[in-house]
Amino acid sequence: MFVLTVLRDTLKIVPEDFRKTREQALKDAINEKYANRVLHDVGLCILVHDLVEIDEGFVQHSEGWIWIKVKFRMIVFRPFRDEVLVGRVRSA
């Protein structure tokens, strides 16, 4: 039902996040981009678990933000085939 999935992405760190630690700024950027989103053949992304690999950041010309390549593990809700989920609908 809940699994850890390894993902890779290049993320943008805006100047407002420069005062945070690099790890915290990356986690915030990952959660902003992926949390509560469904990725095809992956599942519903819940929360970033940890950062596996962080490459050096780079700044492109005429931009104020930093682009960083990162590999991370994400907690994903992925029901198994023919799995029965029991619950209540609170609102529609």
Side-chain angles (χ1 to χ4, degrees):
M1 186 175 295
F2 290 97
V3 295
L4 283 176
T5 303
V6 177
L7 299 171
R8 288 180 180 265
D9 198 0
T10 301
L11 297 170
K12 172 177 67 172
I13 304 298
V14 294
E16 291 82 27
D17 292 338
F18 289 170
R19 63 192 120 131
K20 298 178 185 176
T21 63
R22 182 171 64 162
E23 289 79 14
Q24 187 60 45
L26 284 170
K27 284 183 179 181
D28 290 346
I30 292 168
N31 283 327
E32 183 178 323
K33 184 174 181 178
Y34 288 103
N36 296 323
R37 304 265 166 99
V38 176
L39 297 180
H40 183 67
D41 291 335
V42 176
L44 174 66
C45 296
I46 304 295
L47 182 71
V48 63
H49 183 264
D50 63 349
L51 303 173
V52 176
E53 182 180 309
I54 303 172
D55 289 342
E56 292 294 322
F58 58 92
V59 179
Q60 291 183 344
H61 300 292
S62 73
E63 293 181 352
W65 49 73
I66 298 174
W67 293 93
I68 299 177
K69 292 181 181 180
V70 63
K71 180 179 177 182
F72 56 94
R73 292 193 302 172
M74 191 85 168
I75 299 172
V76 174
F77 175 73
R78 181 173 37 198
F80 303 112
R81 181 173 290 231
D82 298 329
E83 181 177 7
V84 177
L85 301 175
V86 179
R88 289 188 187 159
V89 177
R90 288 189 171 197
S91 65

